[in-house]
Amino acid sequence: MNATSPAPTPEAAVGRVVLLTTSHRVAPGLLSWPAWQVLRAADRVLCADGAHPQLPYLREAGIAVEEAAPTAEEVVDACAGGRTVVVVATGEGEPALTDGLARLAGGGRVRMPELELLPASYDLPGARLLDLVQVMDRIRAECPWSSRQTHEGLAKYGIEEAYELVEAIEQGDREELREELGDVLLQVVFHARIAEEHPDEPFSVDDVAGGIVAKLIHRHPHVFGEETALTPEDVKAHWMRTKAEEKRRESVTDGVPLGQPALALATKLAGRVRGADLSVPLPSGEGVGYELLALAARAEAEGVDAEAALRAAARVYRDAIRSAEKVTGA
């Protein structure tokens, strides 16, 4: 009689622990198909947070969820016999449980089940912008300073942050660039939040985003439409043409803010003239103003950013001043 090996008992099966993570930035109940498959096939589904936003949707789908915060040992025992235990992670990610499982696995004395991390929903690019909107909404409601701000009162900060962004770009400081971009973004979200409270013409950050999305699509027919642009010059021509159609301006100078720095203003006007193929001689006159106007127009024609060039020269001058101060002890 030939001896045969006994079939493995259910107790010998290793089992499986699935840590199911979700993003609070995705609507509850919108889970991936692999997540739903695991949930439906699981022997037990556990969640330590009875107020977890996913629980009503899981139960509505027929998933029996136990409100429990088991230890690592209890989870391993629950997997005995090849069973699958799904743990719906809270916002903190269940560090106590995962640390406990790692400790058991490192000890080598416990036969561990298979461990799997399964993202049931995850952030898409730009998801953290939702956090910014939520934080701004709360600050506007609860902060004594922020709740009293107006568009007019914040205007100066928008200018300051824009200049600081330019400085970070010119200095090539990546960390500073990231921070300054955030400060500029804050100004946009702050103004949009204030705009929601207007009694007659309110709009939100979604309206702001929707408007710029529509504008970008309309001004890039070579990307979203059937037109063709092979060079940057073609793209600029598309942009200027569609912009002119949208604004229906009577003059190329329409829309040029006169309150901007004088050098930038002169450069902008010279660029509008050149872009429209207009023949407009520079006004003749005596004095530094006319000389600067001519220099700005020349820089624009040569593709030089006059503002950036002057700032670079001014920084060199500043360094020379500091060096002279060290020599003289001033």
Side-chain angles (χ1 to χ4, degrees):
M1 191 173 197
N2 293 332
T4 58
S5 300
T9 61
E11 289 74 21
V14 70
R16 180 184 181 200
V17 177
V18 179
L19 184 65
L20 201 72
T21 61
T22 57
S23 170
H24 67 278
R25 302 177 190 92
V26 176
L30 296 180
L31 307 181
S32 65
W33 179 242
W36 282 115
Q37 288 180 309
V38 166
L39 286 165
R40 292 187 182 282
D43 295 285
R44 295 180 67 184
V45 179
L46 312 176
C47 183
D49 181 8
H52 196 294
Q54 297 290 350
L55 296 193
Y57 299 90
L58 297 183
R59 288 169 174 153
E60 185 177 351
I63 307 298
V65 183
E66 305 172 38
E67 295 180 18
T71 64
E73 290 81 0
E74 290 171 338
V75 169
V76 170
D77 290 342
C79 292
R83 292 188 289 269
T84 296
V85 175
V86 174
V87 178
V88 180
T90 59
E92 291 74 26
E94 307 299 333
L97 176 60
T98 54
D99 290 348
L101 291 171
R103 187 168 53 253
L104 288 177
R109 299 180 180 179
V110 178
R111 188 162 183 251
M112 297 295 293
E114 296 178 0
L115 305 178
E116 179 182 349
L117 175 64
L118 179 60
S121 62
Y122 47 87
D123 295 340
L124 296 174
R128 295 306 301 271
L129 294 175
L130 299 176
D131 291 345
L132 175 58
V133 171
Q134 291 175 350
V135 168
M136 187 68 253
D137 188 62
R138 182 170 178 180
I139 289 174
R140 178 65 173 174
E142 301 179 18
C143 174
W145 184 85
S146 298
S147 62
R148 290 174 171 81
Q149 296 310 301
T150 63
H151 293 303
E152 294 76 12
L154 291 176
K156 61 181 180 181
Y157 299 111
I159 297 172
E160 290 174 4
E161 299 300 351
Y163 278 130
E164 291 177 6
L165 171 61
V166 171
E167 184 174 355
I169 293 171
E170 292 179 346
Q171 291 178 346
D173 187 327
R174 300 291 296 175
E175 182 63 25
E176 189 72 12
L177 174 59
R178 181 196 60 77
E179 182 176 345
E180 296 303 336
L181 284 169
D183 290 341
V184 172
L185 179 59
L186 170 60
Q187 297 303 309
V188 174
V189 175
F190 205 161
H191 279 283
R193 178 60 184 82
I194 294 172
E196 291 185 37
E197 302 168 8
H198 194 280
D200 302 317
E201 298 177 297
F203 61 82
S204 69
V205 69
D206 287 318
D207 298 314
V208 173
I212 194 62
V213 166
K215 180 185 292 185
L216 287 173
I217 292 175
H218 182 62
R219 293 188 183 176
H220 289 78
H222 54 290
V223 176
F224 301 99
E226 298 181 353
E227 293 196 33
T228 301
L230 301 178
T231 67
E233 291 73 22
D234 292 341
V235 174
K236 186 174 182 180
H238 282 320
W239 181 277
M240 297 304 295
R241 184 171 64 254
T242 54
K243 186 174 182 179
E245 293 171 354
E246 292 169 0
K247 301 295 184 179
R248 299 189 180 280
R249 290 169 172 161
E250 297 179 357
S251 169
V252 296
T253 65
D254 290 347
V256 176
L258 297 179
Q260 63 183 304
L263 191 58
L265 172 60
T267 303
K268 189 69 172 180
L269 291 172
R272 289 287 182 91
V273 168
R274 190 168 62 86
D277 288 328
L278 293 175
S279 178
V280 183
L282 292 173
S284 59
E286 295 183 0
V288 174
Y290 289 96
E291 294 174 8
L292 290 173
L293 176 61
L295 283 173
R298 192 188 88 187
E300 195 284 329
E302 296 175 357
V304 176
D305 185 334
E307 282 277 346
L310 181 56
R311 276 194 301 272
R315 281 196 294 271
V316 173
Y317 185 38
R318 177 204 59 188
D319 294 341
I321 295 172
R322 290 179 174 177
S323 297
E325 289 173 333
K326 291 179 181 179
V327 171
T328 61

PDB file of all heavy atoms in Angstrom, residues 61-73:
ATOM      1  N   ALA A  61     -23.698  48.653   0.034  1.00  0.00           N
ATOM      2  CA  ALA A  61     -23.341  47.693  -1.014  1.00  0.00           C
ATOM      3  C   ALA A  61     -23.372  46.253  -0.506  1.00  0.00           C
ATOM      4  O   ALA A  61     -23.023  45.331  -1.244  1.00  0.00           O
ATOM      5  CB  ALA A  61     -21.945  48.014  -1.550  1.00  0.00           C
ATOM      6  N   GLY A  62     -23.785  46.066   0.753  1.00  0.00           N
ATOM      7  CA  GLY A  62     -23.900  44.715   1.290  1.00  0.00           C
ATOM      8  C   GLY A  62     -22.648  44.184   1.964  1.00  0.00           C
ATOM      9  O   GLY A  62     -22.557  42.985   2.244  1.00  0.00           O
ATOM     10  N   ILE A  63     -21.670  45.050   2.234  1.00  0.00           N
ATOM     11  CA  ILE A  63     -20.437  44.631   2.910  1.00  0.00           C
ATOM     12  C   ILE A  63     -20.649  44.746   4.415  1.00  0.00           C
ATOM     13  O   ILE A  63     -20.967  45.819   4.931  1.00  0.00           O
ATOM     14  CB  ILE A  63     -19.237  45.510   2.483  1.00  0.00           C
ATOM     15  CG1 ILE A  63     -19.114  45.543   0.955  1.00  0.00           C
ATOM     16  CG2 ILE A  63     -17.965  45.014   3.138  1.00  0.00           C
ATOM     17  CD1 ILE A  63     -18.843  44.221   0.315  1.00  0.00           C
ATOM     18  N   ALA A  64     -20.463  43.658   5.121  1.00  0.00           N
ATOM     19  CA  ALA A  64     -20.585  43.678   6.578  1.00  0.00           C
ATOM     20  C   ALA A  64     -19.272  44.175   7.184  1.00  0.00           C
ATOM     21  O   ALA A  64     -18.237  43.518   7.065  1.00  0.00           O
ATOM     22  CB  ALA A  64     -20.905  42.277   7.109  1.00  0.00           C
ATOM     23  N   VAL A  65     -19.317  45.344   7.809  1.00  0.00           N
ATOM     24  CA  VAL A  65     -18.117  45.947   8.383  1.00  0.00           C
ATOM     25  C   VAL A  65     -18.227  45.927   9.901  1.00  0.00           C
ATOM     26  O   VAL A  65     -19.215  46.398  10.473  1.00  0.00           O
ATOM     27  CB  VAL A  65     -17.930  47.392   7.902  1.00  0.00           C
ATOM     28  CG1 VAL A  65     -16.629  47.972   8.445  1.00  0.00           C
ATOM     29  CG2 VAL A  65     -17.949  47.462   6.381  1.00  0.00           C
ATOM     30  N   GLU A  66     -17.202  45.374  10.539  1.00  0.00           N
ATOM     31  CA  GLU A  66     -17.153  45.348  12.002  1.00  0.00           C
ATOM     32  C   GLU A  66     -16.366  46.566  12.492  1.00  0.00           C
ATOM     33  O   GLU A  66     -15.268  46.839  12.009  1.00  0.00           O
ATOM     34  CB  GLU A  66     -16.462  44.075  12.496  1.00  0.00           C
ATOM     35  CG  GLU A  66     -17.079  42.789  11.972  1.00  0.00           C
ATOM     36  CD  GLU A  66     -16.234  41.574  12.352  1.00  0.00           C
ATOM     37  OE1 GLU A  66     -15.699  41.565  13.490  1.00  0.00           O
ATOM     38  OE2 GLU A  66     -16.077  40.670  11.521  1.00  0.00           O
ATOM     39  N   GLU A  67     -16.949  47.282  13.446  1.00  0.00           N
ATOM     40  CA  GLU A  67     -16.238  48.411  14.043  1.00  0.00           C
ATOM     41  C   GLU A  67     -15.324  47.861  15.141  1.00  0.00           C
ATOM     42  O   GLU A  67     -15.767  47.574  16.254  1.00  0.00           O
ATOM     43  CB  GLU A  67     -17.225  49.431  14.595  1.00  0.00           C
ATOM     44  CG  GLU A  67     -18.081  50.087  13.519  1.00  0.00           C
ATOM     45  CD  GLU A  67     -19.055  51.095  14.081  1.00  0.00           C
ATOM     46  OE1 GLU A  67     -18.837  51.547  15.238  1.00  0.00           O
ATOM     47  OE2 GLU A  67     -20.031  51.427  13.390  1.00  0.00           O
ATOM     48  N   ALA A  68     -14.059  47.706  14.814  1.00  0.00           N
ATOM     49  CA  ALA A  68     -13.115  47.103  15.753  1.00  0.00           C
ATOM     50  C   ALA A  68     -11.715  47.589  15.442  1.00  0.00           C
ATOM     51  O   ALA A  68     -11.391  47.916  14.293  1.00  0.00           O
ATOM     52  CB  ALA A  68     -13.171  45.579  15.655  1.00  0.00           C
ATOM     53  N   ALA A  69     -10.874  47.661  16.473  1.00  0.00           N
ATOM     54  CA  ALA A  69      -9.467  48.038  16.328  1.00  0.00           C
ATOM     55  C   ALA A  69      -8.614  46.898  16.889  1.00  0.00           C
ATOM     56  O   ALA A  69      -8.065  46.996  17.988  1.00  0.00           O
ATOM     57  CB  ALA A  69      -9.182  49.344  17.060  1.00  0.00           C
ATOM     58  N   PRO A  70      -8.493  45.806  16.160  1.00  0.00           N
ATOM     59  CA  PRO A  70      -7.784  44.630  16.668  1.00  0.00           C
ATOM     60  C   PRO A  70      -6.275  44.858  16.746  1.00  0.00           C
ATOM     61  O   PRO A  70      -5.720  45.692  16.034  1.00  0.00           O
ATOM     62  CB  PRO A  70      -8.119  43.553  15.632  1.00  0.00           C
ATOM     63  CG  PRO A  70      -8.320  44.327  14.366  1.00  0.00           C
ATOM     64  CD  PRO A  70      -8.964  45.612  14.781  1.00  0.00           C
ATOM     65  N   THR A  71      -5.638  44.096  17.612  1.00  0.00           N
ATOM     66  CA  THR A  71      -4.181  44.120  17.682  1.00  0.00           C
ATOM     67  C   THR A  71      -3.617  43.299  16.520  1.00  0.00           C
ATOM     68  O   THR A  71      -4.355  42.586  15.824  1.00  0.00           O
ATOM     69  CB  THR A  71      -3.691  43.529  19.000  1.00  0.00           C
ATOM     70  OG1 THR A  71      -4.083  42.130  19.050  1.00  0.00           O
ATOM     71  CG2 THR A  71      -4.304  44.259  20.185  1.00  0.00           C
ATOM     72  N   ALA A  72      -2.317  43.388  16.335  1.00  0.00           N
ATOM     73  CA  ALA A  72      -1.676  42.620  15.279  1.00  0.00           C
ATOM     74  C   ALA A  72      -1.881  41.127  15.503  1.00  0.00           C
ATOM     75  O   ALA A  72      -2.134  40.364  14.556  1.00  0.00           O
ATOM     76  CB  ALA A  72      -0.193  42.954  15.215  1.00  0.00           C
ATOM     77  N   GLU A  73      -1.763  40.706  16.760  1.00  0.00           N
ATOM     78  CA  GLU A  73      -1.946  39.283  17.075  1.00  0.00           C
ATOM     79  C   GLU A  73      -3.355  38.823  16.725  1.00  0.00           C
ATOM     80  O   GLU A  73      -3.559  37.725  16.186  1.00  0.00           O
ATOM     81  CB  GLU A  73      -1.662  39.033  18.555  1.00  0.00           C
ATOM     82  CG  GLU A  73      -0.201  39.169  18.960  1.00  0.00           C
ATOM     83  CD  GLU A  73       0.215  40.622  19.183  1.00  0.00           C
ATOM     84  OE1 GLU A  73      -0.654  41.521  19.007  1.00  0.00           O
ATOM     85  OE2 GLU A  73       1.384  40.849  19.513  1.00  0.00           O
TER      86      GLU A  73
END
